[in-house]
Amino acid sequence: MSEHQLALHGGPPTIPEGPPSWPRTTREIENSVSEALSDGSWGKYESRWTQNLIEKLAAQFQSEHVVLCSSGTIAVELALRGVGVRADDEVILAGYDFPGNFRAIEEIGALPVLVDVIQDGWIIDPTAVSDSISNKTKAIVVSHLHGQIADIAAIRAALDGTTIAIVEDTCQSPGGFVEAEPLGSQGDVGVLSFGGSKLLSAGRGGAVLTNDTDIFQRAKIFANRGNDAFPLSQLQAAALLPQLNELHSYTQRRHENVKRLVELTENLKRLTSLQQAVAREFLPAYYKVPWLLANPTQGGWTRDEFIQAIQAEGIAIDSAFRGFTRRSPRRCRKNGSLVNSQIAAQQTVLLHHPVLLESAETIKKVASAIERVLAHDPV
Ligand SMILES: *Cc1c(COP(=O)(O)O)cnc(C)c1O
């Protein structure tokens, strides 16, 4: 295999048909959406679809209250407003995270306070949290990024004796668990996205999850301007409902495949594979599978070149978020060197999730393509 030419150099692609498309249009989604079409509920402001979705999310995410909204980005803002963040407050955020989370804090007029992620990882470092607290700190945004589960229990312990609220960004990890607790239910408020690439998808959409009536009321009131200003439609809810039935089995299938993939790639030179950081029993949910690609020495692939070569093989691997380590000090306060966040931003490559529902054979092909590309030198 290893003298086999890379697709980038004119050889046959490892997966000629390319990455599987997403979202999948299942029979169940077709039925649900056509029911909404045929009874006219698709065009209503209010109908049973959003109501059913609220009830189902509440049950599945063990959250008494659910606010549906138009995106995960707005859901983060609603969650921050829900916990009472106001202008001039401070909100702790990882130095490597979804760009919209920084913006959501700024949108309220609050100040992001950046804390590093763990070494060789993508989630906020609980041991760095207490140093970054001031008397203005109102909340912390904790994201379960790239399938890695943030340690909410350790963060809660670090916040002990304060009233700082935890906003649990679960946009990338619906379906995951720590022991019996669904991700999204461990913070004071959880956030979901239903964006077009996400594990639960309606093209657009989001939700806020909480067991706290005050948080729920504040989020609702902010979103209500006489009408719902950030709505999720009946048709979107109809498309989402059947996906919740499959979430658990899909989560398990992806987990099995990621275990295979991590095993097959963990000894490859230059690549650092994902390690989970929670000490308790867990089920991770994978929107992306991350690796760190060490910087090239003497002519090896740069990250961009590697991504180009692997995409030519028919595999959806891309680069990562840019992180916030270079943001102006006028826009944020930085706690410590943020060196791990900088490494995450510069060296992460991410495999997109749709292939994780494919066979073990396909996963082997993905791993062998990664190995083959790394074994070659770029030309
Ligand atoms: C996608 C994403 C969001 C935002 O969701 P949208 O629905 O795209 O606005 C927020 N946080 C994380 C971690 C995400 O991956």
Side-chain angles (χ1 to χ4, degrees):
M1 276 302 258
S2 68
E3 47 279 301
H4 199 105
Q5 259 202 335
L6 298 181
L8 186 69
H9 303 147
T14 310
I15 303 181
E17 66 276 23
S21 71
W22 191 264
R24 294 178 159 199
T25 310
T26 62
R27 179 62 53 84
E28 290 72 21
I29 293 173
E30 278 178 11
N31 291 344
S32 182
V33 169
S34 41
E35 207 184 304
L37 289 173
S38 60
D39 73 2
S41 56
W42 66 273
K44 307 286 188 202
Y45 282 112
E46 299 295 337
S47 182
R48 67 183 192 285
W49 302 102
T50 50
Q51 200 46 50
N52 289 351
L53 182 61
I54 286 170
E55 283 165 20
K56 202 149 179 161
L57 289 171
Q60 231 163 301
F61 288 86
Q62 295 173 22
S63 301
E64 208 175 314
H65 306 289
V66 177
V67 182
L68 299 178
C69 61
S70 52
S71 71
T73 303
I74 277 296
V76 171
E77 186 185 330
L78 293 179
L80 289 168
R81 293 191 186 272
V83 301
V85 174
R86 289 162 178 260
D88 301 325
D89 288 338
E90 293 184 355
V91 176
I92 298 170
L93 178 70
Y96 174 85
D97 201 352
F98 179 72
N101 291 356
F102 193 102
R103 288 291 304 278
I105 296 165
E106 288 190 312
E107 192 57 36
I108 301 174
L111 188 75
V113 175
L114 302 180
V115 168
D116 211 358
V117 294
I118 62 171
Q119 190 179 350
D120 294 340
W122 298 269
I123 48 175
I124 202 162
D125 181 357
T127 67
V129 167
S130 50
D131 274 355
S132 55
I133 296 172
S134 79
N135 57 10
K136 290 181 168 183
T137 314
K138 219 23 177 296
I140 176 169
V141 177
V142 181
S143 298
H144 303 290
L145 274 193
H146 311 337
Q148 199 171 34
I149 300 175
D151 193 341
I152 303 265
I155 291 161
R156 202 172 276 298
L159 299 177
D160 194 31
T162 75
T163 57
I164 298 168
I166 299 175
V167 175
E168 187 183 3
D169 182 340
T170 313
C171 291
Q172 297 204 351
S173 50
F177 278 84
V178 171
E179 286 169 2
E181 295 175 34
L183 302 186
S185 71
Q186 297 179 283
D188 295 278
V189 54
V191 172
L192 299 178
S193 164
F194 308 129
S197 64
K198 297 289 158 90
L199 301 177
L200 296 170
S201 182
R204 300 280 172 176
V208 177
L209 314 164
T210 186
N211 283 305
D212 183 313
T213 308
D214 292 337
I215 294 174
F216 171 64
Q217 288 300 346
R218 278 193 290 260
K220 275 293 259 200
I221 287 166
F222 181 79
N224 195 317
R225 318 241 162 122
N227 197 349
D228 186 352
F230 313 106
L232 184 123
S233 74
Q234 300 306 315
L235 212 44
Q236 285 170 292
L240 282 164
L241 274 161
Q243 296 176 47
L244 287 169
N245 297 332
E246 294 169 329
L247 183 61
H248 189 62
S249 65
Y250 277 17
T251 305
Q252 287 176 314
R253 221 153 110 194
R254 293 185 187 108
H255 180 42
E256 289 307 313
N257 272 334
V258 173
K259 279 196 279 192
R260 290 187 180 102
L261 195 52
V262 166
E263 205 175 294
L264 291 166
T265 56
E266 69 190 345
N267 295 320
L268 295 183
K269 259 192 235 151
R270 292 191 58 200
L271 276 192
T272 305
S273 292
L274 169 71
Q275 301 281 337
Q276 290 294 351
V278 277
R280 298 190 286 160
E281 198 182 314
F282 58 86
L283 172 64
Y286 293 98
Y287 166 67
K288 302 277 181 185
V289 185
W291 291 269
L292 293 174
L293 177 68
N295 287 326
T297 51
Q298 298 164 7
W301 302 95
T302 64
R303 179 170 66 168
D304 286 349
E305 288 167 339
F306 170 77
I307 287 168
Q308 205 191 350
I310 198 76
Q311 287 183 354
E313 299 295 335
I315 295 166
I317 288 184
D318 219 325
S319 59
F321 300 139
R322 288 175 168 200
F324 312 124
T325 60
R326 294 189 193 174
R327 292 281 158 101
S328 152
R330 275 175 284 113
R331 290 176 70 186
C332 57
R333 186 153 68 74
K334 294 175 194 173
N335 190 50
S337 71
L338 305 179
V339 64
N340 298 327
S341 303
Q342 200 170 342
I343 289 169
Q346 291 172 350
Q347 298 185 9
T348 301
V349 295
L350 298 172
L351 173 67
H352 196 37
H353 66 87
V355 76
L356 301 176
L357 294 178
E358 301 292 313
S359 65
E361 208 46 49
T362 301
I363 295 302
K364 257 195 207 156
K365 283 190 196 166
V366 172
S368 76
I370 293 172
E371 182 170 7
R372 216 150 49 76
V373 168
L374 287 174
H376 277 72
D377 280 327
V379 176

